[in-house]
Protein backbone atom coordinates (compact mmCIF):
# COMPACT_ATOMS: atom_id res chain seq x y z
CA UNK A 1 0.00 0.00 0.00
CA UNK A 2 1.53 3.36 -1.03
CA UNK A 3 2.64 5.63 1.75
CA UNK A 4 0.53 8.76 2.19
CA UNK A 5 2.52 11.90 2.82
CA UNK A 6 0.64 14.68 4.59
CA UNK A 7 1.52 18.29 3.83
CA UNK A 8 2.07 20.37 6.93
CA UNK A 9 -0.75 22.84 7.62
CA UNK A 10 -0.04 26.41 6.55
CA UNK A 11 1.05 28.48 9.45
CA UNK A 12 -1.35 31.34 10.18
CA UNK A 13 0.15 34.77 9.63
CA UNK A 14 0.75 36.83 12.68
CA UNK A 15 -0.76 40.35 12.95
CA UNK A 16 2.72 41.79 12.35
CA UNK A 17 3.13 39.74 9.16
CA UNK A 18 -0.33 40.78 7.94
CA UNK A 19 0.51 44.45 8.51
CA UNK A 20 3.75 44.08 6.58
CA UNK A 21 1.95 42.50 3.62
CA UNK A 22 -0.71 45.22 3.64
CA UNK A 23 1.94 47.94 3.79
CA UNK A 24 3.76 46.39 0.85
CA UNK A 25 0.54 46.21 -1.18
CA UNK A 26 -0.21 49.87 -0.52
CA UNK A 27 3.31 50.89 -1.53
CA UNK A 28 3.01 48.85 -4.74
CA UNK A 29 -0.34 50.46 -5.56
CA UNK A 30 1.17 53.95 -5.13
CA UNK A 31 4.00 53.08 -7.50
CA UNK A 32 1.51 51.84 -10.13
CA UNK A 33 -0.67 54.93 -9.71
CA UNK A 34 2.32 57.25 -10.00
CA UNK A 35 3.51 55.48 -13.13
CA UNK A 36 0.05 55.71 -14.71
CA UNK A 37 -0.36 59.43 -13.98
CA UNK A 38 0.25 61.43 -17.18
CA UNK A 39 2.91 64.07 -17.14
CA UNK A 40 1.62 67.63 -17.10
CA UNK A 41 3.24 69.99 -19.57
CA UNK A 42 4.17 73.35 -18.13
CA UNK A 43 2.86 76.02 -20.47
CA UNK A 44 5.34 78.55 -21.79
CA UNK A 45 4.84 82.09 -20.53
CA UNK A 46 4.23 84.94 -22.95
CA UNK A 47 7.14 87.17 -23.87
CA UNK A 48 6.91 90.94 -23.62
CA UNK A 49 6.92 91.12 -27.41
CA UNK A 50 3.97 88.72 -27.62
CA UNK A 51 1.98 90.70 -25.03
CA UNK A 52 2.60 93.89 -27.00
CA UNK A 53 1.58 92.18 -30.25
CA UNK A 54 -1.67 90.87 -28.74
CA UNK A 55 -2.80 94.26 -27.47
CA UNK A 56 -1.70 95.97 -30.66
CA UNK A 57 -4.10 93.65 -32.49
CA UNK A 58 -6.91 94.39 -30.02
CA UNK A 59 -6.28 98.11 -30.48
CA UNK A 60 -6.29 97.91 -34.28
CA UNK A 61 -9.53 95.91 -34.24
CA UNK A 62 -11.30 98.11 -31.68
CA UNK A 63 -9.47 101.40 -31.00
CA UNK A 64 -12.02 102.78 -28.51
CA UNK A 65 -13.71 99.88 -26.69
CA UNK A 66 -16.66 100.83 -24.51
CA UNK A 67 -18.11 99.19 -21.44
CA UNK A 68 -21.54 97.71 -22.07
CA UNK A 69 -23.16 98.95 -18.85
CA UNK A 70 -25.31 101.97 -19.70
CA UNK A 71 -24.90 104.99 -17.40
CA UNK A 72 -25.26 108.76 -17.34
CA UNK A 73 -22.49 109.86 -14.95
CA UNK A 74 -20.03 108.43 -12.39
CA UNK A 75 -22.82 107.89 -9.85
CA UNK A 76 -25.05 105.89 -12.19
CA UNK A 77 -21.99 103.95 -13.36
CA UNK A 78 -21.25 103.03 -9.75
CA UNK A 79 -24.84 101.89 -9.22
CA UNK A 80 -24.85 99.92 -12.47
CA UNK A 81 -21.67 98.06 -11.53
CA UNK A 82 -23.06 97.22 -8.08
CA UNK A 83 -26.22 95.89 -9.74
CA UNK A 84 -24.21 93.83 -12.23
CA UNK A 85 -22.86 91.42 -9.60
CA UNK A 86 -24.01 87.91 -10.62
CA UNK A 87 -26.09 89.46 -13.42
CA UNK A 88 -25.59 90.25 -17.10
CA UNK A 89 -24.94 93.76 -18.41
CA UNK A 90 -27.94 93.38 -20.69
CA UNK A 91 -30.18 92.53 -17.75
CA UNK A 92 -28.93 95.50 -15.74
CA UNK A 93 -29.39 97.87 -18.68
CA UNK A 94 -32.97 96.72 -19.15
CA UNK A 95 -33.76 97.65 -15.55
CA UNK A 96 -31.82 100.92 -15.33
CA UNK A 97 -33.07 102.52 -18.56
CA UNK A 98 -36.18 103.57 -16.67
CA UNK A 99 -34.47 104.13 -13.30
CA UNK A 100 -31.52 106.36 -14.14
CA UNK A 101 -33.40 109.18 -15.92
CA UNK A 102 -35.32 109.87 -12.70
CA UNK A 103 -32.58 108.98 -10.19
CA UNK A 104 -29.20 110.10 -11.49
CA UNK A 105 -27.93 111.50 -8.17
CA UNK A 106 -27.65 109.98 -4.68
CA UNK A 107 -30.35 112.29 -3.28
CA UNK A 108 -32.84 111.48 -6.04
CA UNK A 109 -32.25 107.76 -5.43
CA UNK A 110 -32.84 108.19 -1.71
CA UNK A 111 -36.02 110.17 -2.43
CA UNK A 112 -37.34 107.24 -4.46
CA UNK A 113 -36.92 104.95 -1.49
CA UNK A 114 -35.82 101.35 -1.22
CA UNK A 115 -39.22 99.87 -2.04
CA UNK A 116 -39.54 101.82 -5.29
CA UNK A 117 -35.95 101.01 -6.29
CA UNK A 118 -36.80 97.33 -5.74
CA UNK A 119 -39.65 97.62 -8.21
CA UNK A 120 -37.38 99.07 -10.89
CA UNK A 121 -34.69 96.40 -10.51
CA UNK A 122 -36.80 93.34 -9.62
CA UNK A 123 -35.80 91.58 -12.85
CA UNK A 124 -32.17 91.47 -11.63
CA UNK A 125 -30.90 88.67 -9.44
CA UNK A 126 -30.62 89.45 -5.70
CA UNK A 127 -32.64 92.61 -6.30
CA UNK A 128 -33.76 93.02 -2.68
CA UNK A 129 -30.22 93.08 -1.32
CA UNK A 130 -29.06 95.27 -4.21
CA UNK A 131 -31.84 97.82 -3.66
CA UNK A 132 -30.82 98.03 -0.01
CA UNK A 133 -27.18 98.55 -0.99
CA UNK A 134 -28.03 101.23 -3.57
CA UNK A 135 -29.88 103.27 -0.95
CA UNK A 136 -27.15 102.69 1.65
CA UNK A 137 -24.31 103.68 -0.69
CA UNK A 138 -26.26 106.77 -1.76
CA UNK A 139 -26.65 107.79 1.88
CA UNK A 140 -22.93 107.22 2.53
CA UNK A 141 -21.98 109.25 -0.55
CA UNK A 142 -23.95 112.22 0.81
CA UNK A 143 -22.83 111.75 4.41
CA UNK A 144 -19.12 111.11 3.83
CA UNK A 145 -18.31 112.42 0.34
CA UNK A 146 -20.59 115.37 -0.26
CA UNK A 147 -22.69 113.41 -2.75
CA UNK A 148 -19.70 112.93 -5.07
CA UNK A 149 -18.30 109.56 -6.15
CA UNK A 150 -14.83 109.27 -4.54
CA UNK A 151 -11.73 108.73 -6.63
CA UNK A 152 -9.71 106.28 -4.55
CA UNK A 153 -10.04 102.50 -4.40
CA UNK A 154 -10.23 102.41 -0.60
CA UNK A 155 -13.06 104.96 -0.49
CA UNK A 156 -14.99 103.23 -3.24
CA UNK A 157 -14.62 99.84 -1.53
CA UNK A 158 -16.03 101.37 1.66
CA UNK A 159 -19.40 101.81 -0.05
CA UNK A 160 -22.11 99.17 0.57
CA UNK A 161 -22.19 96.58 -2.23
CA UNK A 162 -18.94 97.76 -3.79
CA UNK A 163 -15.84 95.58 -3.92
CA UNK A 164 -12.46 95.70 -5.60
CA UNK A 165 -13.83 94.96 -9.07
CA UNK A 166 -16.47 97.69 -8.72
CA UNK A 167 -13.81 100.16 -7.63
CA UNK A 168 -11.55 99.24 -10.55
CA UNK A 169 -14.35 99.66 -13.10
CA UNK A 170 -15.37 103.07 -11.74
CA UNK A 171 -11.78 104.30 -11.48
CA UNK A 172 -11.13 103.23 -15.06
CA UNK A 173 -14.33 104.24 -16.80
CA UNK A 174 -15.24 107.36 -14.85
CA UNK A 175 -11.78 108.74 -14.06
CA UNK A 176 -9.43 107.22 -16.65
CA UNK A 177 -7.26 105.36 -14.15
CA UNK A 178 -5.13 102.46 -15.45
CA UNK A 179 -6.87 99.77 -13.40
CA UNK A 180 -7.63 96.16 -14.29
CA UNK A 181 -11.12 94.95 -13.39
CA UNK A 182 -11.15 91.15 -13.43
CA UNK A 183 -14.52 89.46 -13.94
CA UNK A 184 -15.19 85.85 -14.95
CA UNK A 185 -14.31 86.62 -18.60
CA UNK A 186 -10.96 88.26 -17.84
CA UNK A 187 -10.13 85.53 -15.33
CA UNK A 188 -10.82 82.85 -17.97
CA UNK A 189 -8.81 84.58 -20.70
CA UNK A 190 -5.86 85.21 -18.41
CA UNK A 191 -5.68 81.58 -17.36
CA UNK A 192 -6.69 79.82 -20.57
CA UNK A 193 -4.24 81.70 -22.77
CA UNK A 194 -1.61 81.59 -20.00
CA UNK A 195 -1.12 85.32 -20.50
CA UNK A 196 -1.67 85.91 -16.79
CA UNK A 197 -2.39 82.69 -14.92
CA UNK A 198 -3.61 82.92 -11.35
CA UNK A 199 -5.52 80.96 -8.73
CA UNK A 200 -7.85 83.86 -7.96
CA UNK A 201 -8.99 87.15 -9.47
CA UNK A 202 -6.47 89.20 -7.51
CA UNK A 203 -3.58 87.08 -8.80
CA UNK A 204 -4.77 87.57 -12.38
CA UNK A 205 -5.36 91.30 -11.86
CA UNK A 206 -1.89 91.93 -10.49
CA UNK A 207 -0.22 89.80 -13.16
CA UNK A 208 -2.06 91.58 -15.98
CA UNK A 209 -1.06 94.93 -14.54
CA UNK A 210 2.53 93.72 -14.44
CA UNK A 211 2.76 92.40 -18.01
CA UNK A 212 0.55 94.76 -20.04
CA UNK A 213 2.40 97.83 -21.36
CA UNK A 214 1.13 101.10 -19.90
CA UNK A 215 0.20 102.38 -23.35
CA UNK A 216 -2.62 99.80 -23.49
CA UNK A 217 -3.81 99.87 -19.87
CA UNK A 218 -6.62 102.40 -20.28
CA UNK A 219 -8.60 100.02 -22.50
CA UNK A 220 -7.00 96.68 -21.58
CA UNK A 221 -9.75 95.38 -19.31
CA UNK A 222 -12.43 96.21 -21.91
CA UNK A 223 -10.53 94.37 -24.64
CA UNK A 224 -10.14 91.32 -22.43
CA UNK A 225 -13.77 91.37 -21.25
CA UNK A 226 -15.07 91.63 -24.81
CA UNK A 227 -12.66 88.93 -25.96
CA UNK A 228 -13.90 86.58 -23.25
CA UNK A 229 -17.54 87.46 -23.79
CA UNK A 230 -17.66 87.05 -27.57
CA UNK A 231 -14.63 85.00 -28.66
CA UNK A 232 -12.93 83.05 -25.86
CA UNK A 233 -16.23 81.59 -24.67
CA UNK A 234 -16.38 79.37 -21.61
CA UNK A 235 -17.78 76.21 -23.20
CA UNK A 236 -16.92 76.51 -26.86
CA UNK A 237 -14.25 79.12 -27.59
CA UNK A 238 -14.27 80.47 -31.14
CA UNK A 239 -10.58 79.86 -31.86
CA UNK A 240 -11.16 80.13 -35.60
CA UNK A 241 -11.90 83.87 -35.33
CA UNK A 242 -9.60 84.66 -32.40
CA UNK A 243 -7.23 87.57 -33.01
CA UNK A 244 -4.53 86.01 -30.85
CA UNK A 245 -4.94 82.29 -31.61
CA UNK A 246 -1.33 81.97 -32.77
CA UNK A 247 -0.08 83.43 -29.49
CA UNK A 248 -2.46 81.55 -27.18
CA UNK A 249 -0.93 78.75 -25.09
CA UNK A 250 -4.16 76.77 -24.55
CA UNK A 251 -3.36 73.12 -25.40
CA UNK A 252 -6.91 72.46 -26.64
CA UNK A 253 -7.24 75.36 -29.04
CA UNK A 254 -8.67 74.35 -32.40
CA UNK A 255 -6.41 76.60 -34.46
CA UNK A 256 -2.65 76.17 -34.33
Amino acid sequence: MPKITRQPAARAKTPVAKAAVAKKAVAKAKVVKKAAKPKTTKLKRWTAAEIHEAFSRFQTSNPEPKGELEHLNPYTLLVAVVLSAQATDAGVNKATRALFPIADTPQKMIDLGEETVREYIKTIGLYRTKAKNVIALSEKLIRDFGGVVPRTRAELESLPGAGRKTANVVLNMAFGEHTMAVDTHVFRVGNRTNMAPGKNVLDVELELERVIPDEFMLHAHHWLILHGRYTCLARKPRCEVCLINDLCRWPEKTVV
Side-chain angles (χ1 to χ4, degrees), residues 23-169:
K23 186 176 181 180
K24 187 175 181 181
V26 170
K28 185 177 181 181
K30 287 183 177 179
V31 171
V32 172
K33 185 177 180 181
K34 186 176 181 180
K37 186 177 180 181
K39 293 183 179 179
T40 55
T41 303
K42 189 174 182 180
L43 300 179
K44 182 182 177 183
R45 295 302 301 269
W46 290 50
T47 65
E50 288 173 327
I51 296 284
H52 192 281
E53 174 63 22
F55 283 92
S56 292
R57 294 179 191 180
F58 286 141
Q59 185 178 60
T60 299
S61 175
N62 187 2
E64 296 289 334
K66 303 296 182 184
E68 295 185 327
L69 280 175
E70 298 174 4
H71 59 283
L72 305 176
N73 52 37
Y75 170 70
T76 54
L77 172 63
L78 169 64
V79 173
V81 180
V82 168
L83 295 179
S84 71
Q86 300 180 50
T88 65
D89 288 0
V92 173
N93 292 339
K94 184 177 180 181
T96 58
R97 281 177 192 140
L99 174 63
F100 287 162
I102 62 171
D104 60 350
T105 68
Q107 189 58 59
K108 289 179 182 178
M109 193 71 74
I110 293 169
D111 292 342
L112 279 184
E114 183 179 330
E115 185 175 345
T116 302
V117 172
R118 276 204 307 266
E119 286 300 306
Y120 276 98
I121 67 170
K122 63 183 178 182
T123 57
I124 303 173
L126 305 174
Y127 73 96
R128 293 180 184 277
T129 299
K130 290 177 180 179
K132 183 177 181 180
N133 284 336
V134 167
I135 295 299
L137 74 81
S138 299
E139 292 172 341
K140 185 174 178 64
L141 284 174
I142 291 175
R143 183 177 64 251
D144 298 345
F145 303 107
V148 178
V149 176
R151 299 187 62 157
T152 71
R153 179 183 282 110
E155 290 172 326
L156 285 165
E157 288 186 36
S158 74
L159 299 171
R164 187 178 180 91
K165 189 193 82 170
T166 298
N168 282 337
V169 172

Side-chain angles (χ1 to χ4, degrees), residues 222-240:
H222 281 132
W223 284 320
L224 292 173
I225 287 173
L226 294 173
H227 187 67
R229 183 173 290 163
Y230 298 111
T231 303
C232 196
L233 308 180
R235 294 187 179 182
K236 193 176 180 181
R238 303 172 63 214
C239 301
E240 68 280 0

